[in-house]
Amino acid sequence: MASYFKDFLLNIFIIFSPLFLYSYMYKLAANERSYRLWVCILFTLTLILTMSFPVHVNGFTYDFRSIPLTVGSLYGGPAVSLFLYGSLILYRFLMGNPENLLYALSILPSFAFVWFWQRRYFGMKLSQKIGVAVGLNFVIKVIAFLLYLWLTHQQGLLLDNLLVTLQTYLLQALIVGLCVYLVEFLHSHYHMQEEMVKNEKAKIVSEMAASVAHEIRNPLTTVRGFLQLFGSDDIDSAKKQFYQKICLEELDRAQAIITDYLSLAKPDPEMIEKIEINAEITYLSNVLLTYGNFNNIEIRQDFLPDDSLAIVGDRYKFRQALINIGKNAIEALQHGGLLEIRASSSNGQIQIVIRDTGIGMSAEQIKRLGTPYYSTKDRGTGLGTMVSFGILRKMNGKIEIDSELGIGTEYRLTFPLAE
């Protein structure tokens, strides 16, 4: 009994072995020729192995050749099924079995049933596919068995060991049904994964477009504010030149942002240089000034005692990160308030603090801040903050955030001092 069980398990393992490579076969489905070639190779090997390791019960020999023949034919098409039928007949001859010509005449008529259902198989529901596979497996065995006994004049063997024969047929019906179910399940699983990837890519494109718009809106808002100031009569030429310079720099920054997003897949080399912190705080304050004035926000600055103190990094990207954080702080001041930008140095490090008296954030919001597609704003994408945090960390910066709902938020950005 243990020997029978072992042989059955071996055959079941052989039959299901092609499913381990189904993910690779699914990827080849777009290339019909390659897909059918792999189906042909895998199920031919399975067919040969099931014939090589039959099950012996009560002096009778049973094998599961009809299962790979059925499943391979249904999923491979007419050309594959013809090859499988030919391989079966040829391998039987090589094994030295008798009456090979009569066996070929017995097995080939079942090909008509296979061919008939192949053309309708892929348009069926799962339950119908299982039913067709089980029915074809049964028809292939019965037709081949009856015709072979009739052609060899051994009809008397029909009733010998009938109970065991029926049991093996039922077991094979169960196996072929399970095999088809697993094939369809794997197909649905990988198809669902493929659709999820496509949807995720579409979502990323949409979110990226929104993030680009968010990043570009920052310099455009600054330019708009200074252009409105140009309309005032009490501005001297020096201030106009200063405002014009900032406008041009912000337009250049907008162009650079577009270039950066277009080259995410192949980023340009960074321009590493020394960045003087006092100059950058002045620049940041001027950029945020008009935006803050529109929202009744006071901006305070506190500089380092030494103008030469600097950090190392990409100046443009550093500005992009600070402006994004500063603009988010201003947007948190919904009814006006104070925005502080101050810097300090100690122990070979420079710390920049950006603090607002806005609506604040909860601990959970702080934890998720900087992750893709999370934003505390209704229309925010979170990508701007994610990019900003990434820029600062790449400059060996440390980001700490303290916030309290209704009180405000404080960003502490710490960088190593440039030598």
Side-chain angles (χ1 to χ4, degrees), residues 26 43 53 55 73 108 142 146 191 208 337 352 374 380 394:
Y26 180 83
F43 282 94
F53 300 98
V55 179
S73 296
L108 286 176
V142 170
L146 293 178
H191 179 71
M208 190 63 71
I352 300 173
Y374 175 76
K394 197 169 184 180

Side-chain angles (χ1 to χ4, degrees), residues 57-60 62 157-166:
V57 182
N58 297 337
F60 287 81
Y62 302 93
L157 296 176
L158 182 62
L159 300 177
D160 290 350
N161 217 27
L162 182 61
L163 181 60
V164 175
T165 301
L166 291 176

